[in-house]
Amino acid sequence: MPDNTQPHALPADVLRVDERLVCGDDQPYFPAQLGEPTFAADGADGRRHYTVTPRFRRLVTEWIAITVEATSDHLRFRWDGDDLIVTDDDALHDDTDPTRGPAIERLHPDADGRYLFQTWLWHEHDTDTKRLDDTTRTALAVLATDDSIHVDTVIRYIIENTYPAPDPQTLRTIRTQHRTLTGSPTAPVDATESEETHDE
């Protein structure tokens, strides 16, 4: 099905009222709930510094995993039911212990069905969302409505806001692999998967 139509029922703003935009280094912004501030360190100026861990909905977590896997040389992701398995292959090249296998982390959804990447560093977007470009606003609106059909809309956004920009087909392939291998009924392979248009 062509993906050149606007998603239906776009919200007046592109974010849910309880979510803010956060991103990792050289990655696009994704919507998340911000948790309670946690003390991180005392600064040299006497100020106390805090960190906030964002909590992501399932669909947003899927796109984070797809984006990071497409641009990382050592992180891989796999869904096991509702759990996200993160494999860090850097451990295979650890000179201190060459027999050590990859580091594997299992992310469980919390009571609200949201996912936390506890050890990742996130940056909060500090600009009014009304100033975002059209591609970004449309993709964030898709994510705000948990729309899993408008795939190319999100892929265009990822390509334009990720460094280095991943190949569109790589993003599609990883997404298909993630959805095919999952045992969760909440993430079936879309019926329209083979009919998606290509941005190239």
Side-chain angles (χ1 to χ4, degrees):
M1 170 169 51
D3 189 30
N4 54 10
T5 58
Q6 290 278 27
H8 296 292
L10 293 183
D13 195 0
V14 294
L15 294 177
R16 296 185 179 191
V17 292
D18 61 342
E19 293 183 341
R20 301 289 297 268
L21 291 179
V22 298
C23 74
D25 292 336
D26 298 322
Q27 301 291 331
Y29 284 96
F30 289 101
Q33 278 185 348
L34 299 184
E36 292 297 319
T38 303
F39 174 72
D42 285 316
D45 58 0
R47 290 176 154 183
R48 294 170 66 86
H49 296 275
Y50 294 82
T51 185
V52 174
T53 303
R55 302 165 61 240
F56 301 96
R57 286 176 282 113
R58 168 68 185 247
L59 181 69
V60 177
T61 303
E62 290 177 9
W63 280 110
I64 292 171
I66 293 164
T67 304
V68 173
E69 184 166 328
T71 56
S72 173
D73 61 356
H74 62 95
L75 290 173
R76 292 178 289 122
F77 300 84
R78 178 176 62 83
W79 288 95
D80 181 19
D82 288 327
D83 291 352
L84 179 61
I85 310 300
V86 185
T87 302
D88 186 346
D89 288 325
D90 258 4
L92 292 172
H93 309 293
D94 187 344
D95 293 334
T96 60
D97 184 4
T99 63
R100 198 171 95 191
I104 298 175
E105 182 180 12
R106 179 179 287 266
L107 304 182
H108 307 281
D110 64 16
D112 297 323
R114 291 181 180 257
Y115 296 82
L116 291 79
F117 296 86
Q118 292 279 11
T119 59
W120 294 22
L121 180 63
W122 298 94
H123 309 284
E124 187 175 358
H125 191 277
D126 57 2
T127 306
D128 186 342
T129 55
K130 293 180 176 61
R131 297 183 183 180
L132 298 173
D133 62 74
D134 289 343
T135 299
T136 299
R137 288 183 59 82
T138 304
L140 293 176
V142 168
L143 295 175
T145 56
D146 280 329
D147 182 346
S148 63
I149 297 175
H150 290 81
V151 173
D152 282 351
T153 300
V154 181
I155 286 178
R156 275 192 294 274
Y157 166 64
I158 290 171
I159 292 168
E160 292 178 13
N161 293 279
T162 306
Y163 182 81
D167 174 62
Q169 189 54 49
T170 299
L171 293 169
R172 289 185 188 90
T173 300
I174 293 171
R175 179 176 181 270
T176 301
Q177 290 170 345
H178 286 192
R179 292 190 153 231
T180 301
L181 296 174
T182 185
S184 170
T186 61
V189 177
D190 294 335
T192 57
E193 186 78 12
S194 61
E195 301 174 13
E196 292 166 7
T197 60
H198 291 249
D199 299 313
E200 300 91 350

